Amino acid sequence: MDDLIITNLSKTYRNGVKALRHVSLQIPKGMFGLLGPNGAGKSTLMRTIATLQEADHGEIQLGDLNVKVHPNELRKVLGYLPQQFGLYPSLSSEMLLNHLAVLKGIVNRQERKEIVDALLHRVNLYSVRKQKLGEFSGGMKQRFGIAQALVNNPKLVIVDEPTAGLDPVERNRFYNLLSEVGEQTIVILSTHIVDDVKELCTRMAIMNTGKVIIQGSPIEIIESLQGRLYEKTINKNELDHYKKEYRVISDRLYLGKQIVHVISDTHPGSDFKALEANLEDVYMAQILNA
Ligand code: ADP
């Protein structure tokens, strides 16, 4: 299947905020994690790909399809779960999916029923298909969100910050569902939660202040920090000193002790212990530009 190729995308809002600065990404089939802090430009990028807004410069191409020239063609093959996802609380999931299928042009009643039933099974909501959406838990709503994004059998699925507010069990179930979808389609998962990306995505990028700072597989990205990460347990009152003297990327309390992670090209001293990097470390290092 064809990759999604984003080239040199830039967007400045009227208030002067540069939300995207020369963003270029190549996104193949599978789960792609777009990681970055709030304000990084993720939603702007997602909405631009979904043709809900336009960039000032740059191109988006899905296979042969130029998205700016043929936005309607893109919409036909797009499934989108936005950050703010409105539901009709008094409708059941079955009724709303059926309605959305009508809107997507599936006119044959029997065909529509088969599609809706299959989707409800796929997201594990079949047994509650008659229940009102307003009574759904956060996790059920998000799974319904995936079902509605899949009605038109899309080639490209975009999910924007989907796990906010889900408990760990719901989050896991949601991950499993997404990775199944990613076996057949391009799935872009935008998130500020490192764990969302770590376990799930075959490719990823980190964004900050409108720019892509690194992209690749999570393993490649973690390797960028290998051999440069050190850990030390210090006294709480020494933290300021360490922050001045070293490139501290994280500090946390563990069992009452203060632990710092430091980046250094050479061994920073005998009391430091070399550490295997994980994605959280890389993320912090990239965001802090350490
Ligand atoms: P993220 O999804 O990573 O949190 P956004 O794309 O929502 O980032 O925002 C990127 C930047 O653009 C932020 O500084 C945000 O305040 C700003 N921004 C987003 N939407 C608008 C808008 N419609 N008008 C002006 N500024 C905006």
Side-chain angles (χ1 to χ4, degrees):
M1 206 185 70
D2 303 319
D3 290 359
L4 178 73
I5 297 175
I6 296 163
T7 314
N8 213 10
L9 214 60
S10 291
K11 170 76 182 179
T12 305
Y13 285 111
R14 280 179 189 196
N15 58 2
V17 172
K18 289 186 187 330
L20 300 176
R21 306 174 196 228
H22 307 289
V23 168
S24 294
L25 289 170
Q26 177 151 8
I27 305 183
K29 189 171 84 174
M31 290 285 302
F32 187 93
L34 184 67
L35 189 61
N38 286 330
K42 304 182 299 296
S43 291
T44 301
L45 179 59
M46 300 296 98
R47 288 198 303 265
T48 310
I49 300 169
T51 75
L52 297 173
Q53 65 182 67
E54 282 195 17
D56 303 326
H57 301 284
E59 299 291 332
I60 303 173
Q61 191 85 25
L62 179 63
D64 295 336
L65 182 72
N66 182 314
V67 172
K68 198 157 40 178
V69 180
H70 301 289
N72 280 326
E73 295 303 307
L74 189 275
R75 286 173 201 141
K76 283 183 196 159
V77 296
L78 171 75
Y80 183 45
L81 176 56
Q83 210 172 342
Q84 305 290 342
F85 174 53
L87 290 170
Y88 295 86
S90 60
L91 292 187
S92 71
S93 53
E94 186 181 48
M95 281 159 77
L96 186 50
L97 278 183
N98 183 59
H99 177 65
L100 291 169
V102 173
L103 294 181
K104 295 280 179 188
I106 305 162
V107 285
N108 181 295
R109 205 187 168 90
Q110 186 55 33
E111 185 192 353
R112 215 162 54 229
K113 181 167 167 33
E114 281 165 21
I115 289 172
V116 167
D117 283 359
L119 281 172
L120 287 166
H121 279 297
R122 193 161 170 196
V123 301
N124 208 3
L125 290 174
Y126 188 79
S127 61
V128 290
R129 66 193 181 283
K130 308 279 184 206
Q131 200 175 318
K132 285 180 181 169
L133 288 162
E135 295 165 2
F136 273 14
S137 72
M140 289 157 86
K141 279 183 188 153
Q142 288 305 72
R143 279 184 278 132
F144 177 79
I146 292 295
Q148 65 79 32
L150 296 179
V151 167
N152 56 339
N153 202 13
K155 282 191 196 170
L156 169 64
V157 173
I158 295 176
V159 286
D160 198 353
E161 302 270 353
T163 62
L166 300 193
D167 69 36
V169 175
E170 286 179 328
R171 181 175 292 193
N172 240 327
R173 190 180 271 178
F174 188 76
Y175 286 167
N176 288 336
L177 172 60
L178 267 190
S179 50
E180 265 173 48
V181 176
E183 285 168 16
Q184 288 141 30
T185 39
I186 301 173
V187 178
I188 309 178
L189 165 73
S190 141
T191 181
H192 64 276
I193 300 167
V194 177
D195 280 347
D196 283 354
V197 171
K198 192 161 59 185
E199 315 242 317
L200 208 57
C201 298
T202 44
R203 311 272 311 164
M204 64 171 291
I206 299 176
M207 276 186 87
N208 196 18
T209 59
K211 284 182 284 201
V212 172
I213 26 188
I214 191 166
Q215 61 179 306
S217 71
I219 293 169
E220 283 163 8
I221 286 183
I222 289 169
E223 270 170 8
S224 70
L225 204 59
Q226 229 54 290
R228 297 200 295 136
L229 185 68
Y230 298 88
E231 180 184 74
K232 187 174 178 182
T233 304
I234 61 170
N235 288 324
K236 264 188 262 181
N237 57 12
E238 294 175 315
L239 185 58
D240 282 347
H241 165 75
Y242 275 84
K243 281 189 171 169
K244 272 194 209 112
E245 295 294 315
Y246 298 93
R247 281 144 73 189
V248 174
I249 57 159
S250 70
D251 56 272
R252 68 193 166 94
L253 284 170
Y254 181 67
L255 301 177
K257 297 216 163 115
Q258 185 81 56
I259 297 176
V260 289
H261 285 187
V262 161
I263 292 185
S264 178
D265 292 332
T266 55
H267 202 296
S270 56
D271 290 338
F272 280 93
K273 199 174 77 183
L275 204 63
E276 288 269 316
N278 63 32
L279 199 53
E280 189 89 44
D281 293 311
V282 182
Y283 179 63
M284 291 311 296
Q286 292 289 345
I287 298 303
L288 297 171
N289 197 17

